[in-house]
Amino acid sequence: MPTVYGAPVSPFVRKVLVGLVEKGIPYEHDPVVPAIAPAEFKRVSKDVSPLGKIPAYRDGDFSLADSSVILAYLERVKPSPALFPSDTREYARALWFEEYGDGGLAPIIGGKIFFQKVAGPAFFKQPTDEAVVSKAINEELPPLLDYLESQLGNGDWLVGRNFSIADIGVATQFAQASLCGVSPDPKRWPKLAAYVDRALARASFADAIAKAKAMLGIK
Ligand SMILES: N[C@@H](CCC(=O)N[C@@H](CS)C(=O)NCC(=O)O)C(=O)O
């Protein structure tokens, strides 16, 4: 059975956990946290995560790091159900939304809101800087949410008709926000709020969020 390395509180680890469940691939999970257990992670990371980050993935004698790389690999390992659209333009747009989550939403939701409200106090004994949180929620995040609202059409998912890597990459960041009690206001972002509820209600996301909550001791 393959092994996923990395704590479920990481939005990037969550991408992989969700992808594995969506594809029906059984896995073992080593929820290591590099910042908290550096020695343990060093033991693991030597050959699986050269940059020392989570997630990492081991499949027999083959190992990989980086959520996007791991998900692209899983698509080849088990093509069905597909998480990457077959249409060329939809494929490219799905990759774009994955990047929008990783590179656009994550630095604000993970790097500022989650770090200040949850990770800093829980793992680094660092008190919350409310000014950073407030600026992130009220000034930095809204334009990114406006864009997503503008991109959602009448369908359920961001690209094409099916749940895809686009939704994994974006929704994992909203799962992170939900761990801090933050969600898009349905009055201002009605399509996005409904979309986030829909994505996080999937069994794959519900399972991954439950694992994160268990680790953080929140209900
Ligand atoms: N591009 C990477 C980003 C992974 C990443 O930044 N992971 C963070 C945790 S969320 C990490 O391992 N940081 C180093 C550390 O915690 O020491 C991916 O998609 O997997």
Side-chain angles (χ1 to χ4, degrees):
M1 219 186 268
T3 303
V4 179
Y5 298 96
V9 294
S10 158
F12 302 105
V13 171
R14 187 175 309 117
K15 286 171 65 187
V16 174
L17 300 182
V18 167
L20 286 162
V21 172
E22 291 286 344
K23 285 197 172 285
I25 301 175
Y27 64 92
E28 280 171 1
H29 191 186
D30 180 346
V32 65
V33 185
I36 293 178
E40 193 191 344
F41 191 64
K42 228 176 191 161
R43 175 183 56 73
V44 167
S45 70
K46 265 200 318 272
D47 57 335
V48 295
S49 183
L51 292 177
K53 294 193 174 188
I54 51 172
Y57 189 78
R58 188 192 298 283
D59 192 359
D61 61 357
F62 185 66
S63 58
L64 282 172
D66 191 278
S67 61
S68 303
V69 173
I70 296 164
L71 285 162
Y73 169 73
L74 294 178
E75 187 76 358
R76 295 286 182 98
V77 168
K78 194 165 186 288
S80 180
L83 290 175
F84 292 72
S86 55
D87 175 83
T88 302
R89 291 187 175 187
E90 288 187 356
Y91 173 78
R93 267 179 69 71
L95 294 183
W96 157 243
F97 282 113
E98 184 187 17
E99 172 54 24
Y100 194 80
D102 291 1
L105 297 170
I108 301 171
I109 293 177
K112 297 191 177 172
I113 303 170
F114 181 80
F115 184 84
Q116 289 297 334
K117 283 175 83 92
V118 179
F123 302 137
F124 305 105
K125 310 259 176 291
Q126 188 175 307
T128 303
D129 185 336
E130 295 293 353
V132 171
V133 175
S134 168
K135 188 168 182 227
I137 292 177
N138 298 314
E139 295 174 35
E140 294 169 326
L141 199 50
L144 277 80
L145 306 194
D146 288 343
Y147 172 73
L148 288 172
E149 181 76 13
S150 79
Q151 296 300 300
L152 283 159
N154 296 322
D156 282 353
W157 307 114
L158 274 166
V159 177
R161 299 168 128 219
N162 299 319
F163 179 82
S164 76
I165 188 69
D167 306 301
I168 294 179
V170 166
T172 192
Q173 301 302 332
F174 287 99
Q176 203 70 6
S178 79
L179 297 172
C180 315
V182 172
S183 57
D185 180 351
K187 288 200 209 85
R188 179 161 174 190
W189 299 286
K191 284 184 181 175
L192 179 62
Y195 163 80
V196 167
D197 287 349
R198 187 156 53 240
L200 301 193
R202 285 180 84 87
S204 55
F205 265 109
D207 180 56
I209 293 167
K211 288 189 165 98
K213 286 186 170 172
M215 183 177 170
L216 294 168
I218 53 180
K219 295 222 170 109

